[in-house]
């Protein structure tokens, strides 16, 4: 494959990973907003359904995003192989890919992915399990 084709694949895959991050953030904003908006405590069945659906989403999102990041990393490894090729020896983008795979960027990205999913899963679980009515909460604090 040419450098152009490999960069096209890397860009398309990175765009998809960005979309997954956006979905991850949007789901959490909607979920926390919904918990705050509902002015009554969630029933046990609602809590259980929320947690099951959420954890299903979180696991799928994590695995899909991890796979996309791995694919981007592999694409950059293929691009870096072109650094010694006469066609691309002076190509700054190829040099960037080479530097990317030699540094800790991939490992950092995978760690951030895992930590962010784990922390948000914990926050969601706590928010759902300890959900109270906003009116009830305000009454407790005022009186």
């Amino acid at each position: 494959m040419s450098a152009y084709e490999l960069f096209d694949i890397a860009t398309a895959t990175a765009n998809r990973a960005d979309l997954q991050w956006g979905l991850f953030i949007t789901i959490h904003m909607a979920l926390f907003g919904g918990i705050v908006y509902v002015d009554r405590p969630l029933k046990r069945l609602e809590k259980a359904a929320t947690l099951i659906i959420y954890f299903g989403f979180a696991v799928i999102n994590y695995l899909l995003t991890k796979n996309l990041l791995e694919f981007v990393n592999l694409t950059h490894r293929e691009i870096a192989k072109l650094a010694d090729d006469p066609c691309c020896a002076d190509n700054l983008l190829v040099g960037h890919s080479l530097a990317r795979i030699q540094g800790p960027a991939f490992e950092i990205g995978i760690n951030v992915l895992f930590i962010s999913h784990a922390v948000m899963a914990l926050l969601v679980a706590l928010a759902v399990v300890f959900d109270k009515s906003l009116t009830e909460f305000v009454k407790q604090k005022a009186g």
Side-chain angles (χ1 to χ4, degrees):
M1 274 191 204
S2 71
Y4 173 81
E5 291 168 321
L6 290 168
F7 278 113
D8 192 41
I9 291 169
T11 302
T13 307
N15 285 340
R16 176 60 193 201
D18 287 344
L19 179 72
Q20 287 305 123
W21 274 114
L23 178 64
F24 179 75
I25 292 165
T26 302
I27 290 295
H28 287 88
M29 289 174 57
L31 185 60
F32 289 128
I35 290 170
V36 170
Y37 181 75
V38 174
D39 197 25
R40 64 171 174 75
L42 296 173
K43 297 175 185 165
R44 283 186 183 199
L45 184 60
E46 292 170 327
K47 288 181 180 189
T50 299
L51 289 174
I52 290 168
I53 292 168
Y54 171 76
F55 283 111
F57 158 77
V59 167
I60 290 169
N61 184 272
Y62 170 77
L63 293 174
L64 180 58
T65 307
K66 183 176 184 259
N67 187 47
L68 289 166
L69 293 177
E70 289 169 346
F71 197 79
V72 170
N73 185 54
L74 291 174
T75 307
H76 281 286
R77 289 186 177 283
E78 285 299 312
I79 294 167
K81 290 178 184 178
L82 298 172
D84 295 331
D85 193 302
C87 75
C88 304
D90 293 332
N91 188 312
L92 295 177
L93 293 174
V94 171
H96 174 76
S97 288
L98 180 61
R100 180 183 171 89
I101 66 161
Q102 291 173 339
F106 174 68
E107 290 79 15
I108 290 170
I110 293 296
N111 289 335
V112 167
L113 177 69
F114 177 77
I115 291 168
S116 63
H117 275 73
V119 167
M120 292 310 292
L122 178 63
L123 290 176
V124 166
L126 291 173
V128 170
V129 169
F130 295 108
D131 174 53
K132 288 185 177 183
S133 164
L134 183 59
T135 307
E136 179 184 323
F137 179 75
V138 170
K139 285 180 184 176
Q140 284 179 350
K141 292 297 177 187

